[in-house]
Amino acid sequence: MVESPERNAPLSASREDYLADIYRIQAVGQSVNTGEVAQRLGVSAASTSAMFKRLAQEGLVHYESYNGVWLTKNGERAASHIVRRHRVIERFLTDMLGIGWERVDEFANRMEHAFPDEVVEAIERLLGDPDTCPHGYPIPGLDGETAALAGLPAETLAAGDHAVIRRVDETDPELLLHLRERGLMPGKAIAVVAVNQVDGTRTLRTGDGTLVVGQRIARSLFVDRVVDDA
Amino acid sequence: MVESPERNAPLSASREDYLADIYRIQAVGQSVNTGEVAQRLGVSAASTSAMFKRLAQEGLVHYESYNGVWLTKNGERAASHIVRRHRVIERFLTDMLGIGWERVDEFANRMEHAFPDEVVEAIERLLGDPDTCPHGYPIPGLDGETAALAGLPAETLAAGDHAVIRRVDETDPELLLHLRERGLMPGKAIAVVAVNQVDGTRTLRTGDGTLVVGQRIARSLFVDRVVDDA
DNA sequence: CAGATGAGTTAGACAAGACTAATTGCGCGA
DNA sequence: TCGCGCAATTAGTCTTGTCTAACTCATCTG
Ligand SMILES: [Mn+2]
Ligand SMILES: [Mn+2]
Ligand SMILES: [Mn+2]
Ligand SMILES: [Mn+2]
């Protein structure tokens, strides 16, 4: 049985990025194949294949050739730790430094590998132990436990529905900027005024007014429906 | 004329560490030779030699074989930038997160390579544009300008002298912890009660009381004398 | 002014992680 | 069931930064 040579040696930044990405793909219930990870990390499929092999050898993932990977218990612990750092840092950047939420993912992606755990914990305390990143994704606990992803796509809402935004797709800075300018952020209450069946656009009312959104946005907002008692 | 292939490409973490160290050695007026840098970075002399050659080729240092390096204008600009990041991060860690000053150098050494300039600037504003790191070393400006190192060794003080601590040797965590426990930090006023000529110990009075320090400490505290007008 | 000594440089190897090109295997459609 | 197309893997390089061992050069001593 070949195990990792150094028990508990710190993971390289590369390994951390692969693991975190595998974790995030698993979190939405997708299977984790070479191409998906390669594309998300902006790396060749060959590099990803090689890394899968390494991670498997170190006991961090299970790997079935031609069939993708999934995290082992150890891998999940490590990955949740990294995702935790990432999301706390995002919170720090938006809440304390006032940096726009459309840029913090990229920044946190660089910074996440360099923060000692102790620093992450101090920031967390200072921020009052937030539950989620600015985009609404849950911050894993120190024990590795993570809440389920909140919300269903706003696409599933019908005319007359009331809902609260819980989470937004965080992959596209352009989209995030767009959403921020319109106040479509976690915590915001929305009501669906109308659904245009022809082109799929929706008319929404928020506290700030009325706006029309297309499918792209309706698929990127994850909401909890609210039963109307008015 | 062989120049750096990529104009303004970001520097690798390794290059940043070498440059920052060269900068710090130059700042105290020492000449920068292979062995000194190798020792400070915990790296072999061969590696340092190789890096000197690369940095020279990229126009960041002047290099005379067997005779050390010194920063070019470009190299100084780059180095001051890194040192700036390092010292701002140290301030952040001590002032906002409450981490002991004996550990922030090590932490900042990891973190300094991952902070976008914009984040450093936001932190700086939030802290009220501090002039120095927690150990009293000046934070270079965005323009690359850096104040001179403040203070002279407390060793130069005679009995009866009054002084203010401006800066402390920041290389040894043990020493820093020791100093902190005794309140010997930048800004603190001290008076020399007595100097023992036999063993070089000094009796100091601070706001908190009286204490005796040996040469090791007297050489690690950098002070400005204060003319007594009592 | 000739060695010895030690710092500095060169030579050669290695590890991590990336790439491109070539190959292999899975699964689907005819 | 055969083969085709595409995804994944393997093969072979490259770059960066490190190491140890062998050397070479500057300098200090006698
Ligand atoms: Mn990352
Ligand atoms: Mn996020
Ligand atoms: Mn560093
Ligand atoms: Mn400092």
Side-chain angles (χ1 to χ4, degrees), chain B residues 13 16-17 86 108-113:
Chain B
E16 290 192 338
D17 278 337
H86 181 99
N109 227 19
R110 284 176 56 187
M111 299 169 75
E112 64 194 353
H113 311 289

Coordinates of all heavy atoms in Angstrom, one line a residue, chain B residues 13 16-17 86 108-113, ligand 3:
Chain B
A13 N 7.5 34.2 -6.6 CA 7.7 34.3 -5.2 C 9.2 34.3 -4.8 O 9.6 35.0 -3.9 CB 6.9 33.3 -4.4
E16 N 10.9 37.5 -5.6 CA 10.5 38.5 -4.6 C 11.3 38.4 -3.3 O 11.7 39.4 -2.7 CB 9.0 38.4 -4.4 CG 8.2 38.8 -5.6 CD 6.7 39.0 -5.3 OE1 6.2 38.5 -4.3 OE2 6.0 39.8 -6.0
D17 N 11.4 37.1 -2.9 CA 12.1 36.9 -1.6 C 13.6 37.4 -1.7 O 14.1 38.0 -0.8 CB 12.1 35.5 -1.2 CG 10.7 35.1 -0.5 OD1 10.1 36.1 0.1 OD2 10.4 34.0 -0.5
H86 N 5.0 43.5 2.7 CA 5.4 42.8 3.9 C 5.0 43.5 5.1 O 4.4 43.0 6.1 CB 6.8 42.4 3.8 CG 7.3 41.6 5.0 ND1 7.5 40.3 5.0 CD2 7.7 42.0 6.3 CE1 8.0 39.8 6.1 NE2 8.1 40.9 7.0
A108 N 3.9 37.0 7.4 CA 3.9 38.0 6.3 C 4.8 37.5 5.2 O 4.6 37.8 4.0 CB 4.4 39.4 6.8
N109 N 5.8 36.7 5.6 CA 6.7 36.2 4.6 C 6.0 35.3 3.6 O 6.4 35.2 2.4 CB 7.8 35.5 5.3 CG 9.2 35.8 4.7 OD1 9.3 36.9 4.1 ND2 10.1 35.0 5.0
R110 N 5.0 34.6 4.1 CA 4.2 33.7 3.2 C 3.2 34.5 2.4 O 2.9 34.3 1.3 CB 3.4 32.7 4.0 CG 4.3 31.5 4.5 CD 3.4 30.6 5.4 NE 2.2 30.1 4.8 CZ 1.2 29.4 5.4 NH1 1.3 29.2 6.7 NH2 0.2 29.0 4.7
M111 N 2.5 35.5 3.2 CA 1.4 36.2 2.6 C 1.8 37.2 1.6 O 1.0 37.6 0.7 CB 0.6 36.8 3.8 CG 0.1 35.7 4.7 SD -0.6 36.4 6.3 CE -2.2 37.1 5.7
E112 N 3.0 37.8 1.7 CA 3.4 38.9 0.9 C 3.3 38.7 -0.6 O 3.2 39.6 -1.3 CB 4.8 39.4 1.3 CG 5.8 38.3 1.0 CD 7.2 38.5 1.7 OE1 7.4 39.6 2.3 OE2 8.1 37.6 1.6
H113 N 3.4 37.4 -1.0 CA 3.4 37.1 -2.4 C 2.0 37.0 -3.0 O 1.9 36.9 -4.2 CB 4.2 35.8 -2.7 CG 5.5 35.8 -2.0 ND1 6.6 36.6 -2.4 CD2 5.9 35.1 -0.9 CE1 7.6 36.4 -1.5 NE2 7.2 35.5 -0.6
Ligands
MN3 MN 8.3 35.7 1.2

